[in-house]
Amino acid sequence: MFWIAAETGMRGGELCGLFADDVDLANRLIYVRRSAWRGKLQTPKTSNAVRHFPISPNLAQHIQEHLAGRTSGLLFHTRNGKPYDNYNVVTWQLKPLLTKVGIQGDAAKGMGLHAFRHGNASALDSVGAPVRVRMDRLGHADSEMTLGYTHAVSEDHRRVADEMGRIFDPSLPKLSVTDRNVRTPLLNSVGA
């Protein structure tokens, strides 16, 4: 469940509402058709939340192994076959895992299923995924909402700083006329 959450950025309720037939392993697609809230199935949060998108071959293989030949029923369920509740997944499964790897107390605050959405949005940004792809995967109608989920990582900042240095470094070789036309207005505006 946590691998799906990390790779797809699905909402916790959407994860808890996944059925085996919502995963098309042959085409490596996940379909979000419903959600679970407090252990009960319901329609997803918004009309944009009803969606499908590709998954990696590795995740498809992992899900196939998890299903072990099953083709129906909930992908993840309680012992009596009911949908999980987000709170219980975090309390009974995620928090103990975090504790086991040394993340606890204040460091674990805010680390629930929703944190996977933010992590996914940031990873999508880091790999240069178009905003439309990010919106579709996260089920957002508004790009501003998607951008609010995106947090830059230090490697991105370093990569951008290096690229900006290549653009604005005054010791760069002389520019061609075409390059000069592109750079001159920008450099003039910053006093270079």
Side-chain angles (χ1 to χ4, degrees), residues 161-180:
D162 291 348
E163 190 61 33
M164 297 307 285
R166 282 190 283 284
I167 293 170
F168 294 108
D169 185 344
S171 66
L172 287 175
K174 287 205 178 253
L175 301 171
S176 70
V177 174
T178 306
D179 290 338
R180 188 172 291 122

Side-chain angles (χ1 to χ4, degrees), residues 73-86:
L74 285 162
L75 197 58
F76 309 105
H77 54 80
T78 64
R79 280 182 278 194
N80 59 2
K82 302 289 183 198
Y84 276 120
D85 175 72
N86 290 350

Side-chain angles (χ1 to χ4, degrees), residues 84-102:
Y84 276 120
D85 175 72
N86 290 350
Y87 177 81
N88 293 339
V89 170
V90 171
T91 303
W92 299 337
Q93 295 173 356
L94 182 58
K95 293 295 182 178
L97 283 173
L98 292 173
T99 299
K100 194 179 266 189
V101 297

Side-chain angles (χ1 to χ4, degrees), residues 25-173:
L25 294 171
N27 294 305
R28 295 187 356 248
L29 296 171
I30 282 190
Y31 290 83
V32 179
R33 298 176 172 132
R34 72 194 67 72
S35 184
W37 174 250
R38 303 204 179 208
K40 298 198 187 309
L41 295 173
Q42 61 184 24
T43 58
K45 185 176 179 180
T46 66
S47 60
N48 288 334
V50 177
R51 62 200 188 282
H52 69 279
F53 47 84
I55 57 173
S56 71
N58 297 1
L59 180 56
Q61 176 65 37
H62 187 70
I63 293 171
Q64 184 173 12
E65 291 167 8
H66 171 75
L67 286 170
R70 276 191 310 122
T71 57
S72 63
L74 285 162
L75 197 58
F76 309 105
H77 54 80
T78 64
R79 280 182 278 194
N80 59 2
K82 302 289 183 198
Y84 276 120
D85 175 72
N86 290 350
Y87 177 81
N88 293 339
V89 170
V90 171
T91 303
W92 299 337
Q93 295 173 356
L94 182 58
K95 293 295 182 178
L97 283 173
L98 292 173
T99 299
K100 194 179 266 189
V101 297
I103 302 171
Q104 52 194 351
D106 286 344
K109 193 171 185 162
M111 289 197 178
L113 292 177
H114 197 73
F116 285 103
R117 285 177 63 74
H118 286 262
N120 180 267
S122 299
L124 288 169
D125 180 63
S126 196
V127 300
V131 173
R132 184 73 242 177
V133 169
R134 291 188 252 167
M135 289 170 59
D136 291 346
R137 289 182 71 88
L138 294 169
H140 290 154
D142 182 354
S143 62
E144 291 299 317
M145 175 68 76
T146 300
L147 294 175
Y149 276 68
T150 305
H151 310 280
V153 293
S154 59
E155 295 85 26
D156 289 333
H157 283 288
R158 174 111 17 239
R159 181 181 48 78
V160 168
D162 291 348
E163 190 61 33
M164 297 307 285
R166 282 190 283 284
I167 293 170
F168 294 108
D169 185 344
S171 66
L172 287 175

